[in-house]
Amino acid sequence: MIKTLELLTDFIASPKSAVEELKKNHYSFAGFISLLFAILSQNTAGQLMFINSGKQTIGIFTVNFLFALLLFLVLIFIFAAWTNFIAGFWGAQANVKTFLSATMFSFAPLFLLLPLGSIFFVWIPAPAAVYVLTILIIYAWVTWLIYNSMKSIYSLNSGQALLIFASTLVFPVVFFIMFILGTVMLIAGLFS
Amino acid sequence: MKKEIVVYSILALFVLGLISTLTIVIGKKAVSAPGAASGLKSRPLSRDTIAVINIAGPISLSQRPSRFFSNDAEAISHKLRNYSTRSEIKGVLLRINSPGGSVAASQEIYSEVMHLRASGKTVVASMGDLAASGGYYVASACDKIVANPGTLTGSIGVILEVGNVQELFRKIGVKVETIKSGSHKDSGSPFRELTTKEREMFQNLVNEAYDQFVNAIVEGRNMDKDKVVELADGSIYTGSQALNEGLVDALGNDLAAIELLKKLAKIEGEPRIIGEYEPWEQIISIFGTSQSASPLDQLMGKKKFRLEYSME
């Protein structure tokens, strides 16, 4: 528990040393717990920010949270698998579990959304706008942490790491095409 | 050193966040009711609640019991019954956008609305695009009805349609043999013409259902029966026309209906307004099964004929 908290703060204060620690020991479960609480922080802060659109019941909040967690896990797993696969072309070998843990820990900055959400709601005149801007900054930070983790774990140079990031864009394109195809088939089915 | 600075900064942020949260809780920062422009405006909140039920599309009773997220008459009746037992609910708004539906389904909802009124709750109907026939049947049970000037309502009457594909089958060389226990067992069969006796029988059904409809309006709206019969020739009325004829009580949209409901239920301050479906339920409900709507299916389907309070 203490170790997990130390890792979390390390990921914010000193990401390189945190990744080195992950290479030595597996923290997969701790990474999952960290991700779980990170998403919970985000959802709770979002609930506060957009409370004027309607307060969610506990049931809906739970479903939204579980859905978000599932979505993040699926995306992280696909991303880690893809990274491992592409890095293999350059002969970079590493334990994919290590990278998976590192990716999950990289979402540590999301914890900050919980206190920030509360602070914005009380003290800032236009909290929603500031909150959205903050989310963008925090996700940029998360992306940077994942990028650094990738470089360190797979011993890649900056160009290679950027290329792998860029290659993941193929997934949204594939999903988008599948979505369009699915919609077309659904509409065709309605008229048949 | 850097790590210590980060740790203390994060701790400070969480402490400030906690103070802010306590400020919200202890300072009782009011959260605006839905629809308010800004989260910083506050209006006094009432503990009283208004429940909104949507009656959209054809009114029917599902043939599949306990369907998740069902909005059939049984589900609506269940909600109405549930609301009658909740003390914080002072009034119910029925938002009706329906061309009508089956006789029994409309009557189920009507009956529950009357029970709800008898239990001390106020019920107001707000009509959308269309609240005709069975839609009006249900609305007539409410304390008051609010319609938009352009709402289409009325169509007070009963319709029974029997499909006849005899000629089609003859053209394509299909024969249907029927063996029955009684002369009326296959009444309404789509494979032959109606006999005179069957026509009389169905006309009696329609007349009976029509009388039920008229009586329901007389009781629900407290109107004179002769006046209702005069209006109940199946004519369609706009909201404005319906107001002139006494079929509705006021013109306005759903917000106007809520204001009227607040006044009738003597709610002071801003009530809590609860809907029936949360957003996630609405999203998941789109994955529900759809039923075929082809005309031939309707003619040939399990329902040989339909007796409805429905605008065609």
Side-chain angles (χ1 to χ4, degrees), chain A residues 6 9-10 12-13 48 51-52 57 59-60 63-64 111-112 114-116 118-119 121-125, chain B residues 2-3 6-7 10 13-14 16-17 20-21 23-24 29 31-35 38-40 278-280:
Chain A
E6 274 183 20
T9 46
D10 279 344
I12 293 173
L48 193 59
I51 201 164
N52 290 327
T57 62
I60 297 159
V63 170
N64 284 341
F111 279 97
L112 301 176
L114 188 55
L116 284 174
S118 204
I119 292 165
F121 188 68
V122 174
W123 307 109
I124 308 281
Chain B
K2 185 187 172 191
K3 185 176 167 181
V6 168
V7 169
I10 292 172
L13 201 63
F14 271 90
L16 201 53
S20 306
T21 308
T23 308
I24 297 167
K29 183 177 167 69
V31 175
S32 321
S38 162
L40 294 178
E278 302 293 350
W280 73 276

Side-chain angles (χ1 to χ4, degrees), chain A residues 12-32:
Chain A
I12 293 173
S14 172
K16 279 193 177 138
S17 61
V19 172
E20 290 308 316
E21 175 61 30
L22 283 179
K23 280 186 199 174
K24 290 179 205 155
N25 299 298
H26 288 304
Y27 289 93
S28 305
F29 182 68
F32 170 71

